[in-house]
Amino acid sequence: MQTSRSAREGLKALHGTPFEASEQSIPVTPAIRVVGVSKRYQLGQTDAADGSLRERLVDLAKAPVRRMRHLSGGAGAAESFWALDDVAFDVQPGEVAGVIGRNGAGKSTLLKILSRITDPTRGRIELRGRVASLLEVGTGFHPDLTGRENVFLNGAILGMGRAEIRRKFDAIVDFAEVAKFIETPVKHYSSGMYLRLAFAVAAHLDGEILLVDEVLAVGDAAFQRKCLDKMQEVSRGGRAVLFISHNMAAVAALCSRAIVLEGGRVMADAPVADAVRSYLEHHLAEAAAGWQLGGIRRAGDDLGDRVSLRHVAAVMARRDGFLFGEALHFRVCVHARARLDHVRCAIGLDNIYGGRVVTFTSDPEEVSVLPGLCYEFDVSVPPFGLLPGKYLLSASLLSGEQYHDYLVHFGAIRVLPIDVGGEPRDEARIDQGPIAVRSIWLASEREGMPA
Amino acid sequence: MSRTTADPLPLRVIEPRAGWAPVDWAELWEFRELLGFLVWRDVKLRYKQTVLGAVWAVLQPAATMLMFTLLFGRWAKMPSDGLPYSVFAFAGLIPWTFFANGLSGAAFSLSGNTHLISKVYFPRLLIALSSLGTGLLDLLVALSVMLAMMVWFGIAPTAHLAALPIFVALTAAMAFGIGSALAAMCALYRDVRYVIPLVVQLWMFASPVIYPLGFVPEGWRWAFYLNPLVGAIDGFRSALLGLPFNWPAIAAAWAVAIAICGAGLSYFRRVERRLADFI
């Protein structure tokens, strides 16, 4: 009963998406159809991997007793948990769907079931077409084998035939940019080369269905971009892609639609921006990154003598950083040992090269401090176009022009490459500065006066 | 690549499986190229990591043969069907080494390849099967040494030699069947891995490797035949050295081997689907 209801809901959600309406004019059989899939892990059972034969034999002897107890009261039910609980969704050919969720939400279990690595406990999955599944890059790579040998081995393990690998070999080596070292054992490769070669094989997988786990979190930025492009190329070929990740930015960049898993259940199934927003809102527990500054040695002898920085916190909606376009919010705790008037608190953000991006300073007229007391400064900065990236934090306390305490780069904050609406944003680039400002441009044609 | 939209796409259904499942030979055949690659990997690695490479294939049984020749041939005066004891022992050691290495190779194949099993799907039997590959290669190398020895001792091969593949297949089936059952047990219970070397060692003395079948008292022979390696090793030696075949032993061996192989593979298939949850 429950199964079919949830499956219907999944379908309803699908048909409601504008993506579906605009791009699929004729009805197509879904490439992936997941109906009421559940997976139960027996907690006692997983332990058996480390258990001994003796325990198993004892278990076996006890089995009739346990079975009787189970029939009468079902006491054994507590020993299992459902990693997936009645999950249903479809993915159409040509669609790139993301699966997002926190650790333990069931993402990996879902992918393992779809890849046939483990069986579902209940439910049914239909996969229409050849499946290329990628739970990691470089599966089966052996350090003692050469690049060439590993391409063949890894290709075969991922499901390519000998002839297919031979045909694609040059393209793979080109893509990985390791042509010079292809006859060298991969144990001599740099980690970057190793990953490039491993991903190159994976990127050349054919198949109407592509299942990808979080494998893009590797390699340098330029190569990541290349892989993303290659994957998008794949989806334009009419393939269904299911991309599993907890990297919101990657999901937002790659997918048209996202499925949010929470505790093994489908929480949301919607166009990617909506799904990401609902995911973020759901995790809008107030999180803060804080830095204890009391014990840190100051650069100058008398710094911190009269008034000192105790603690600075970045107050964020999410634990890992601010979203692009979100107000910045800091809280500074200060401890005073002397009476001081006109105390100012300042927080500075530097880029990772140490160049100052911006300084926020409190109003000098407002604050006077008394010895022995603690004070809290709360600053909130409206969105000012600070681009995604990492910024180093500095803080200082002044009265007049005199510095009483000053700490440089005691911590860092991150602006995530994703905006408050769930859309992806590129990271700050050194040649364009760290702040995006809306600017208004007009272009018009002027007569005469060439050059 | 050349697929047109008119081609019907293959449909794969994933559903919970329960109970005993037969071996899916069609699927194994479908993955034959991967099997080839896995064997090729093992062979390749053997040659890369060792200085002597193929020589080990000869050295291992040859050293055992020398030791046994001194110990059992010279000192204990073990009968050897009227042949030089070294030739007699080596002819038994070749299939025995193939069996013993194949058995332990298959038994440890799952626990040694967990990184593959938890990340990629392929018929898990493949990994047990592939571990027989290097053993087969070793067997061929050792056979060529055997032929050289036969030339040295002036023993001419007979028409019996044509039956040799039958006994190689028998030995392989035994190693595969028992090995895959042990592999499944090994994945579930850590104890099994310590039992295997012990069992293999004892098994050798229960098989006619260092002594001829005639050495066993007449009244006990029927029980002896239940050990399928008796038929396999004795048959292998007879085929190689032109001795008379012991038909009851061979028939019993095939019957037991098929039964063991069937049971072993079924057990493997039963455990297989839960494998990724355990390892």
Side-chain angles (χ1 to χ4, degrees):
Chain A
M1 280 291 109
Q2 208 178 7
T3 301
S4 61
R5 178 170 54 84
S6 154
R8 260 204 315 277
E9 277 168 8
L11 282 172
K12 202 168 63 196
L14 229 178
H15 285 295
T17 66
F19 170 82
E20 181 72 2
S22 61
E23 291 194 13
Q24 308 285 341
S25 47
I26 37 170
V28 185
T29 23
I32 304 173
R33 161 163 282 172
V34 176
V35 184
V37 165
S38 301
K39 173 76 181 179
R40 183 182 54 204
Y41 282 107
Q42 214 87 43
L43 291 181
Q45 199 179 351
T46 40
D47 287 343
D50 303 317
S52 66
L53 195 56
R54 183 176 56 87
E55 285 166 25
R56 174 70 178 145
L57 293 175
V58 172
D59 264 9
L60 219 60
K62 284 182 185 165
V65 182
R66 200 173 46 217
R67 200 161 296 157
M68 268 169 64
R69 201 182 297 159
H70 193 77
L71 283 174
S72 58
E79 289 171 352
S80 68
F81 88 102
W82 292 90
L84 286 179
D85 189 1
D86 201 14
V87 169
F89 61 87
D90 286 2
V91 182
Q92 307 297 332
E95 191 181 14
V96 185
V99 176
I100 55 184
R102 284 188 299 185
N103 286 334
K107 303 190 299 285
S108 299
T109 305
L110 177 65
L111 196 62
K112 278 192 171 171
I113 292 173
L114 284 166
S115 313
R116 294 207 287 164
I117 289 164
T118 188
D119 273 10
T121 310
R122 282 208 295 257
R124 179 183 168 90
I125 293 167
E126 289 171 18
L127 299 166
R128 209 166 283 274
R130 281 209 305 159
V131 180
S133 125
L134 200 56
L135 270 68
E136 70 175 2
V137 290
T139 306
F141 260 43
H142 198 288
D144 285 319
L145 296 178
T146 67
R148 174 189 300 274
E149 289 160 351
N150 271 313
V151 167
F152 274 88
L153 183 62
N154 182 231
I157 286 169
L158 293 176
M160 290 192 222
R162 192 191 300 269
E164 189 183 349
I165 304 170
R166 205 168 282 153
R167 201 174 61 237
K168 292 174 176 169
F169 185 78
D170 291 337
I172 290 172
V173 175
D174 276 355
F175 189 88
E177 302 160 22
V178 293
K180 244 198 291 183
F181 305 100
I182 200 66
E183 306 298 347
T184 309
V186 296
K187 65 180 169 191
H188 300 307
Y189 279 29
S190 72
S191 57
M193 283 161 63
Y194 184 96
L195 284 172
R196 283 207 303 275
L197 185 65
F199 203 95
V201 181
H204 286 79
L205 277 174
D206 272 345
E208 288 76 27
I209 298 171
L210 182 60
L211 309 171
V212 194
D213 202 352
E214 196 124 43
V215 287
L216 289 171
V218 296
D220 55 86
F223 192 72
Q224 271 183 31
R225 187 75 250 164
K226 198 168 160 183
C227 294
L228 289 178
D229 291 345
K230 180 81 190 172
M231 281 182 64
Q232 272 169 337
E233 200 181 301
V234 163
S235 66
R236 274 197 290 274
R239 289 162 197 152
V241 181
L242 196 67
F243 178 65
I244 292 190
S245 179
H246 55 243
N247 179 349
M248 289 305 125
V251 169
L254 268 175
C255 307
S256 52
R257 174 184 148 221
I259 296 152
V260 184
L261 284 184
E262 173 78 36
R265 289 171 161 272
V266 176
M267 276 272 303
D269 182 350
V272 70
D274 298 343
V276 167
R277 193 179 311 121
S278 94
Y279 171 80
L280 293 179
E281 275 163 12
H282 198 256
H283 297 290
L284 211 71
E286 190 170 274
W291 296 272
Q292 287 293 347
L293 305 179
I296 297 179
R297 276 189 55 175
R298 273 44 173 177
D301 284 341
D302 54 349
L303 281 184
D305 278 354
R306 303 170 74 183
V307 60
S308 62
L309 295 159
R310 267 295 177 78
H311 186 259
V312 173
V315 186
M316 300 178 286
R318 288 164 50 80
R319 197 169 291 279
D320 47 349
F322 293 104
L323 297 173
F324 175 78
E326 187 183 6
L328 305 185
H329 188 183
F330 298 99
R331 187 171 295 150
V332 184
C333 289
V334 168
H335 181 238
R337 291 188 183 81
R339 191 199 155 89
L340 276 175
D341 293 325
H342 309 304
V343 174
R344 282 187 290 156
C345 178
I347 290 178
L349 296 184
D350 293 354
N351 65 22
I352 51 170
Y353 306 101
R356 180 52 53 99
V357 173
V358 63
T359 308
F360 316 119
T361 311
S362 67
D363 192 331
E365 303 306 322
E366 273 177 9
V367 183
S368 295
V369 297
L370 293 171
L373 294 181
C374 284
Y375 297 85
E376 201 171 76
F377 292 85
D378 241 309
V379 54
S380 118
V381 187
F384 61 100
L386 186 64
L387 284 170
K390 187 179 177 186
Y391 299 96
L392 305 175
L393 278 173
S394 301
S396 56
L397 289 171
L398 315 83
S399 64
E401 290 306 310
Q402 193 189 357
Y403 279 97
H404 296 290
D405 200 4
Y406 189 55
L407 275 165
V408 182
H409 300 172
F410 58 82
I413 57 155
R414 186 168 274 286
V415 177
L416 302 171
I418 183 165
D419 72 14
V420 282
E423 297 293 333
R425 288 296 302 221
D426 283 336
E427 298 245 339
R429 278 169 46 180
I430 187 72
D431 57 343
Q432 292 181 349
I435 292 171
V437 179
R438 184 190 294 273
S439 48
I440 296 149
W441 289 74
L442 280 174
S444 55
E445 193 182 312
R446 295 298 282 261
E447 279 176 49
M449 296 173 64
Chain B
M1 281 277 142
S2 59
R3 186 188 293 282
T4 61
T5 45
D7 281 337
L9 293 172
L11 174 71
R12 180 188 294 157
V13 175
I14 300 172
E15 276 178 314
R17 294 171 289 176
W20 299 87
V23 176
D24 191 344
W25 296 105
E27 194 190 32
L28 277 180
W29 177 248
E30 197 185 305
F31 278 84
R32 63 193 180 279
E33 284 200 339
L34 180 56
L35 176 66
F37 272 112
L38 290 172
V39 171
W40 168 83
R41 172 192 72 170
D42 291 346
V43 170
K44 204 97 189 185
L45 284 174
R46 162 91 73 95
Y47 285 82
K48 294 216 174 187
Q49 287 164 338
T50 60
V51 184
L52 294 180
V55 179
W56 286 115
V58 180
L59 228 50
Q60 202 187 357
T64 320
M65 171 198 74
L66 276 177
M67 200 173 68
F68 285 177
T69 304
L70 289 174
L71 209 63
F72 301 111
R74 292 281 162 80
W75 185 62
K77 300 266 184 287
M78 186 73 79
S80 52
D81 286 346
L83 290 161
Y85 186 79
S86 54
V87 176
F88 172 86
F90 199 54
L93 275 168
I94 293 173
W96 169 256
T97 310
F98 174 52
F99 172 76
N101 289 348
L103 179 80
S104 11
F108 296 128
S109 62
L110 286 184
S111 33
N113 286 285
T114 50
H115 59 289
L116 286 187
I117 288 160
S118 58
K119 296 292 180 192
V120 183
Y121 176 79
F122 51 86
R124 300 335 189 173
L125 269 179
L126 219 59
I127 211 117
L129 196 55
S130 79
S131 59
L132 296 182
T134 38
L136 205 58
L137 195 79
D138 291 349
L139 181 127
L140 290 178
V141 174
L143 262 184
S144 62
V145 174
M146 181 71 205
L147 290 180
M149 276 175 72
M150 285 165 68
V151 170
W152 175 262
F153 284 103
I155 303 163
T158 64
H160 281 186
L161 196 62
L164 200 66
I166 296 175
F167 300 104
V168 175
L170 179 61
T171 316
M174 287 288 304
F176 181 44
I178 301 172
S180 48
L182 287 175
M185 285 187 207
C186 249
L188 297 187
Y189 315 109
R190 296 285 181 262
D191 309 53
V192 177
R193 71 175 61 222
Y194 304 109
V195 179
I196 291 169
L198 186 71
V199 170
V200 167
Q201 213 158 31
L202 292 177
W203 204 335
M204 191 187 82
F205 292 103
S207 310
V209 179
I210 51 168
Y211 52 86
L213 205 47
F215 191 65
V216 180
E218 197 91 41
W220 286 100
R221 239 172 253 177
W222 61 270
F224 212 59
Y225 291 165
L226 288 180
N227 171 7
L229 274 187
V230 171
I233 290 173
D234 190 63
F236 188 94
R237 186 183 277 135
S238 302
L240 204 55
L241 303 177
L243 304 170
F245 285 120
N246 185 333
W247 294 112
I250 292 167
W254 270 109
V256 175
I258 287 169
I260 285 183
C261 212
L265 296 187
S266 306
Y267 177 69
F268 185 94
R269 289 281 290 164
R270 197 176 151 82
V271 173
E272 175 187 25
R273 73 181 75 108
R274 296 185 290 142
L275 217 50
D277 299 343
F278 280 103
I279 59 178

Coordinates of all heavy atoms in Angstrom, one line a residue, chain B residues 1-42:
Chain B
M1 N 28.0 3.2 -29.5 CA 28.4 4.3 -30.4 C 27.5 4.3 -31.7 O 26.9 5.2 -32.1 CB 29.8 4.2 -30.9 CG 30.8 4.7 -29.9 SD 31.0 6.4 -30.0 CE 31.2 6.9 -28.3
S2 N 27.4 3.1 -32.3 CA 26.6 3.0 -33.5 C 25.2 2.6 -33.3 O 24.4 2.4 -34.2 CB 27.3 1.9 -34.4 OG 27.2 0.7 -33.7
R3 N 24.8 2.7 -32.0 CA 23.4 2.3 -31.6 C 22.4 3.3 -32.2 O 22.6 4.5 -32.1 CB 23.3 2.3 -30.1 CG 21.9 1.8 -29.7 CD 21.8 1.9 -28.2 NE 22.8 1.0 -27.5 CZ 22.6 -0.3 -27.3 NH1 21.5 -0.8 -27.8 NH2 23.4 -1.0 -26.7
T4 N 21.4 2.9 -32.9 CA 20.4 3.8 -33.4 C 19.2 3.7 -32.4 O 19.1 2.8 -31.6 CB 20.0 3.3 -34.8 OG1 19.4 2.0 -34.7 CG2 21.1 3.3 -35.8
T5 N 18.3 4.7 -32.6 CA 17.2 4.8 -31.7 C 16.3 3.6 -31.9 O 15.5 3.3 -31.0 CB 16.4 6.1 -31.9 OG1 16.3 6.3 -33.3 CG2 17.2 7.3 -31.3
A6 N 16.4 3.0 -33.0 CA 15.5 1.8 -33.3 C 15.8 0.6 -32.4 O 15.0 -0.2 -32.2 CB 15.5 1.5 -34.8
D7 N 17.1 0.5 -32.0 CA 17.5 -0.6 -31.2 C 16.7 -0.6 -29.9 O 16.7 0.4 -29.2 CB 19.0 -0.5 -30.9 CG 19.8 -1.0 -32.1 OD1 19.3 -1.7 -32.9 OD2 21.0 -0.6 -32.2
P8 N 16.1 -1.8 -29.6 CA 15.5 -1.8 -28.2 C 16.6 -1.9 -27.2 O 17.6 -2.6 -27.3 CB 14.7 -3.1 -28.3 CG 15.4 -3.9 -29.3 CD 16.0 -3.0 -30.3
L9 N 16.5 -1.1 -26.1 CA 17.5 -1.1 -25.1 C 17.3 -2.2 -24.2 O 16.2 -2.6 -23.9 CB 17.4 0.2 -24.3 CG 17.8 1.5 -25.1 CD1 17.5 2.7 -24.3 CD2 19.3 1.4 -25.5
P10 N 18.4 -2.9 -23.7 CA 18.2 -4.0 -22.8 C 17.6 -3.5 -21.5 O 18.0 -2.4 -21.0 CB 19.7 -4.5 -22.6 CG 20.5 -3.3 -22.9 CD 19.8 -2.5 -24.0
L11 N 16.7 -4.3 -21.0 CA 16.1 -4.0 -19.7 C 16.7 -4.8 -18.6 O 16.8 -6.0 -18.7 CB 14.6 -4.2 -19.8 CG 13.8 -4.0 -18.5 CD1 13.8 -2.5 -18.1 CD2 12.4 -4.6 -18.6
R12 N 17.1 -4.2 -17.5 CA 17.6 -4.9 -16.4 C 16.7 -4.6 -15.2 O 16.5 -3.5 -14.9 CB 19.1 -4.6 -16.1 CG 19.6 -5.3 -14.9 CD 20.9 -4.8 -14.5 NE 21.9 -5.1 -15.5 CZ 23.1 -4.4 -15.7 NH1 23.3 -3.4 -14.9 NH2 23.9 -4.7 -16.6
V13 N 16.3 -5.7 -14.6 CA 15.5 -5.5 -13.4 C 16.2 -6.0 -12.2 O 16.9 -7.0 -12.2 CB 14.2 -6.4 -13.5 CG1 13.4 -6.3 -12.3 CG2 13.4 -5.9 -14.7
I14 N 16.2 -5.1 -11.2 CA 16.9 -5.4 -9.9 C 15.8 -5.7 -8.8 O 15.0 -4.8 -8.6 CB 17.8 -4.3 -9.5 CG1 18.9 -4.1 -10.5 CG2 18.5 -4.6 -8.1 CD1 19.7 -2.9 -10.3
E15 N 15.8 -6.8 -8.3 CA 14.8 -7.2 -7.2 C 15.5 -8.0 -6.2 O 16.6 -8.5 -6.4 CB 13.7 -8.0 -7.8 CG 12.6 -7.1 -8.5 CD 11.5 -7.9 -9.1 OE1 11.8 -8.9 -9.8 OE2 10.3 -7.6 -8.9
P16 N 14.9 -8.0 -5.0 CA 15.5 -8.9 -4.0 C 15.6 -10.3 -4.4 O 14.6 -10.8 -5.1 CB 14.6 -8.7 -2.8 CG 13.7 -7.6 -3.1 CD 13.7 -7.3 -4.5
R17 N 16.6 -11.0 -4.1 CA 16.7 -12.4 -4.4 C 16.7 -13.2 -3.1 O 17.2 -12.7 -2.1 CB 18.0 -12.7 -5.2 CG 18.0 -12.1 -6.6 CD 19.4 -12.3 -7.2 NE 20.4 -11.5 -6.5 CZ 21.7 -11.5 -6.8 NH1 22.1 -12.3 -7.7 NH2 22.5 -10.7 -6.2
A18 N 16.1 -14.4 -3.2 CA 16.1 -15.2 -2.0 C 16.4 -16.6 -2.3 O 16.2 -17.1 -3.4 CB 14.7 -15.1 -1.3
G19 N 17.0 -17.3 -1.3 CA 17.2 -18.8 -1.5 C 18.4 -19.1 -2.3 O 19.3 -18.3 -2.6
W20 N 18.4 -20.3 -2.8 CA 19.5 -20.8 -3.6 C 19.3 -20.4 -5.1 O 18.3 -20.5 -5.6 CB 19.6 -22.3 -3.5 CG 19.8 -22.8 -2.1 CD1 18.8 -23.1 -1.2 CD2 21.0 -23.1 -1.5 NE1 19.4 -23.5 0.0 CE2 20.7 -23.5 -0.2 CE3 22.4 -23.0 -1.9 CZ2 21.7 -23.8 0.7 CZ3 23.4 -23.3 -1.0 CH2 23.1 -23.7 0.3
A21 N 20.4 -20.0 -5.7 CA 20.4 -19.6 -7.1 C 21.4 -20.4 -7.9 O 22.4 -20.7 -7.4 CB 20.8 -18.1 -7.2
P22 N 21.0 -20.9 -9.1 CA 21.9 -21.6 -9.9 C 23.0 -20.7 -10.4 O 22.8 -19.5 -10.4 CB 21.0 -22.2 -11.0 CG 19.9 -21.2 -11.1 CD 19.7 -20.6 -9.7
V23 N 24.1 -21.3 -10.8 CA 25.2 -20.5 -11.4 C 24.7 -20.0 -12.8 O 24.1 -20.7 -13.6 CB 26.4 -21.4 -11.6 CG1 27.5 -20.6 -12.3 CG2 26.9 -21.9 -10.3
D24 N 24.9 -18.7 -13.0 CA 24.5 -18.1 -14.2 C 25.6 -18.1 -15.2 O 26.4 -17.2 -15.4 CB 24.1 -16.6 -13.9 CG 23.4 -16.0 -15.1 OD1 23.5 -16.5 -16.2 OD2 22.8 -14.9 -14.9
W25 N 25.7 -19.3 -15.9 CA 26.8 -19.5 -16.8 C 26.8 -18.5 -18.0 O 27.9 -18.1 -18.5 CB 26.8 -20.9 -17.4 CG 27.0 -21.9 -16.3 CD1 26.0 -22.7 -15.8 CD2 28.2 -22.3 -15.6 NE1 26.5 -23.5 -14.8 CE2 27.8 -23.3 -14.7 CE3 29.5 -21.8 -15.7 CZ2 28.8 -23.8 -13.8 CZ3 30.4 -22.3 -14.8 CH2 30.1 -23.3 -13.9
A26 N 25.6 -18.1 -18.4 CA 25.5 -17.1 -19.5 C 26.2 -15.8 -19.1 O 26.9 -15.2 -19.9 CB 24.1 -16.9 -19.9
E27 N 25.9 -15.4 -17.9 CA 26.5 -14.2 -17.4 C 28.1 -14.3 -17.3 O 28.8 -13.4 -17.7 CB 25.9 -13.8 -16.1 CG 26.2 -12.4 -15.7 CD 25.8 -12.0 -14.3 OE1 25.9 -12.9 -13.4 OE2 25.5 -10.9 -14.0
L28 N 28.5 -15.4 -16.8 CA 30.0 -15.7 -16.7 C 30.6 -15.6 -18.1 O 31.6 -15.0 -18.3 CB 30.2 -17.1 -16.2 CG 30.2 -17.2 -14.7 CD1 30.5 -18.6 -14.3 CD2 31.2 -16.2 -14.0
W29 N 29.9 -16.1 -19.1 CA 30.4 -16.1 -20.5 C 30.4 -14.6 -21.0 O 31.4 -14.2 -21.6 CB 29.5 -16.9 -21.4 CG 29.9 -16.9 -22.8 CD1 29.2 -16.3 -23.8 CD2 31.1 -17.4 -23.4 NE1 29.9 -16.5 -25.0 CE2 31.1 -17.1 -24.8 CE3 32.3 -18.1 -22.9 CZ2 32.1 -17.5 -25.7 CZ3 33.3 -18.4 -23.8 CH2 33.2 -18.1 -25.1
E30 N 29.4 -13.9 -20.6 CA 29.3 -12.5 -21.0 C 30.5 -11.7 -20.5 O 31.0 -10.7 -21.1 CB 28.0 -11.9 -20.4 CG 27.5 -10.6 -21.0 CD 26.3 -10.1 -20.2 OE1 25.3 -10.9 -20.1 OE2 26.3 -9.0 -19.7
F31 N 31.0 -12.1 -19.3 CA 32.1 -11.4 -18.7 C 33.5 -12.0 -19.0 O 34.4 -11.8 -18.3 CB 31.9 -11.3 -17.2 CG 31.0 -10.2 -16.7 CD1 29.6 -10.4 -16.8 CD2 31.5 -9.0 -16.3 CE1 28.8 -9.3 -16.4 CE2 30.7 -7.9 -15.9 CZ 29.3 -8.1 -15.9
R32 N 33.6 -12.9 -20.0 CA 34.8 -13.6 -20.2 C 36.0 -12.7 -20.5 O 37.1 -13.1 -20.1 CB 34.6 -14.6 -21.4 CG 34.3 -13.9 -22.7 CD 33.8 -14.9 -23.8 NE 33.6 -14.2 -25.1 CZ 32.5 -13.6 -25.4 NH1 31.5 -13.4 -24.4 NH2 32.3 -13.0 -26.5
E33 N 35.8 -11.6 -21.1 CA 36.9 -10.7 -21.3 C 37.5 -10.2 -20.0 O 38.7 -10.1 -19.9 CB 36.5 -9.5 -22.2 CG 36.3 -9.9 -23.7 CD 36.4 -8.7 -24.6 OE1 36.2 -7.6 -24.2 OE2 36.7 -9.0 -25.8
L34 N 36.6 -9.9 -19.1 CA 37.1 -9.5 -17.8 C 37.9 -10.6 -17.1 O 39.0 -10.4 -16.5 CB 36.0 -9.0 -16.9 CG 36.4 -8.6 -15.5 CD1 37.4 -7.4 -15.5 CD2 35.2 -8.1 -14.7
L35 N 37.4 -11.8 -17.3 CA 38.1 -13.0 -16.7 C 39.5 -13.0 -17.3 O 40.5 -13.2 -16.6 CB 37.4 -14.3 -17.1 CG 38.1 -15.6 -16.7 CD1 38.1 -15.7 -15.2 CD2 37.3 -16.8 -17.2
G36 N 39.6 -12.8 -18.6 CA 40.9 -12.8 -19.3 C 41.8 -11.7 -18.7 O 43.0 -11.9 -18.5
F37 N 41.2 -10.5 -18.5 CA 42.0 -9.4 -17.9 C 42.5 -9.7 -16.5 O 43.6 -9.4 -16.2 CB 41.2 -8.1 -18.0 CG 41.3 -7.4 -19.3 CD1 40.2 -7.3 -20.1 CD2 42.5 -6.8 -19.6 CE1 40.3 -6.6 -21.3 CE2 42.6 -6.1 -20.8 CZ 41.5 -6.0 -21.7
L38 N 41.7 -10.4 -15.7 CA 42.1 -10.6 -14.3 C 43.2 -11.7 -14.3 O 44.2 -11.5 -13.5 CB 40.9 -11.2 -13.5 CG 39.8 -10.1 -13.2 CD1 38.6 -10.8 -12.6 CD2 40.3 -9.0 -12.4
V39 N 43.1 -12.7 -15.2 CA 44.2 -13.6 -15.3 C 45.5 -13.0 -15.8 O 46.6 -13.1 -15.2 CB 43.8 -14.8 -16.2 CG1 45.0 -15.7 -16.5 CG2 42.7 -15.6 -15.6
W40 N 45.3 -12.1 -16.8 CA 46.4 -11.4 -17.4 C 47.1 -10.5 -16.3 O 48.3 -10.4 -16.2 CB 45.9 -10.6 -18.6 CG 46.8 -9.6 -19.1 CD1 47.8 -9.7 -20.1 CD2 46.8 -8.2 -18.9 NE1 48.4 -8.5 -20.4 CE2 47.8 -7.6 -19.6 CE3 46.0 -7.3 -18.0 CZ2 48.0 -6.2 -19.6 CZ3 46.2 -6.0 -18.0 CH2 47.2 -5.4 -18.8
R41 N 46.3 -9.9 -15.5 CA 46.8 -9.1 -14.4 C 47.7 -9.9 -13.5 O 48.8 -9.5 -13.1 CB 45.7 -8.4 -13.6 CG 46.1 -7.7 -12.4 CD 45.0 -7.3 -11.5 NE 44.5 -8.5 -10.8 CZ 43.6 -8.5 -9.8 NH1 43.1 -7.3 -9.4 NH2 43.1 -9.5 -9.2
D42 N 47.1 -11.0 -13.0 CA 47.9 -11.9 -12.1 C 49.2 -12.3 -12.7 O 50.2 -12.3 -12.0 CB 47.0 -13.1 -11.7 CG 45.8 -12.6 -10.8 OD1 45.8 -11.5 -10.3 OD2 44.9 -13.5 -10.6

